[in-house]
Amino acid sequence: MSMTDLLHAEDIKKAVGAFTAVDSFDHKRFFQMVGLKKKSPEDVKKVFHILDKDKSGFIEEEELGFILKGFSPDARDLSVKETKMLLAAGDKDGDGKIGADGIVTALSLHSRARREQTPSKQGQPEPQSLLSPHLCCPHITPAFPENFPLWWLKAKRL
């Protein structure tokens, strides 16, 4: 399977062309431009397997530097800075590599899938805490933990 079996060649060409300058790569914008954000998680995983050159089931930091070449052979390599930013977006367990689920996470598809699976809570108010910033001073975030003794807050009338 090739990349153009899943994505439009013209979209790939435009996206790769948009990030020819060093340190200009924005993974969210790139993935949107190639059409990955519109794809199902299953199709995104197929793209992942195409990009996983050593077929290890993960895209390691070394492979990430060449990720644009997986879309177009004449594309540039990512800089070290760009590679680290992409790794941080997809490596949620900190092991230095991105799994198939990590690429879905990097695309923010997981939030859409989670919303579709989570029952709607329409009409139900959000649970609120006395420590919620908007109840007192919306511009100040409390400097004490959520489990701080509430009697102290009441005594100080915060």
Side-chain angles (χ1 to χ4, degrees), residues 4-158:
T4 54
D5 292 337
L6 298 164
L7 304 170
H8 298 294
E10 190 62 32
D11 291 341
I12 294 171
K13 184 178 178 181
K14 285 180 186 176
V16 169
F19 298 101
T20 54
V22 175
D23 289 334
S24 66
F25 184 71
D26 176 350
H27 68 277
K28 288 183 180 181
R29 198 166 136 232
F30 177 80
F31 292 146
Q32 183 175 13
M33 289 177 75
V34 295
L36 272 177
K37 287 204 172 226
K38 296 182 242 172
K39 297 293 181 181
S40 69
E42 292 78 27
D43 285 344
V44 172
K45 288 179 183 180
K46 289 177 186 175
V47 169
F48 171 85
H49 292 298
I50 293 170
L51 296 172
D52 180 17
K53 297 298 182 192
D54 64 1
K55 305 299 179 206
S56 65
F58 296 97
I59 299 178
E60 293 82 8
E61 187 172 350
E62 300 81 35
E63 287 177 293
L64 277 179
F66 308 111
I67 198 166
L68 291 179
K69 290 186 188 275
F71 289 91
S72 175
D74 57 338
R76 71 176 179 88
D77 295 337
L78 295 181
S79 69
V80 173
K81 177 183 171 185
E82 292 168 321
T83 303
K84 295 218 181 271
M85 287 175 56
L86 181 55
L87 182 63
D91 179 18
K92 296 304 175 189
D93 60 2
D95 63 355
K97 52 191 176 184
I98 299 175
D101 292 331
I103 201 79
V104 174
T105 300
L107 289 170
S108 300
L109 291 174
H110 69 290
S111 59
R112 181 176 66 190
R114 189 178 302 136
R115 278 194 309 269
E116 291 169 358
Q117 294 172 356
T118 305
S120 175
K121 294 183 179 182
Q122 269 184 333
Q124 295 179 6
E126 285 284 319
Q128 302 209 356
S129 161
L130 289 175
L131 303 178
S132 296
H134 67 278
L135 292 177
C136 173
C137 305
H139 60 284
I140 298 175
T141 304
F144 37 82
E146 193 71 33
N147 61 355
F148 197 84
L150 295 178
W151 61 264
W152 186 87
L153 293 174
K154 291 176 185 174
K156 296 292 183 181
R157 295 180 190 253
L158 289 180

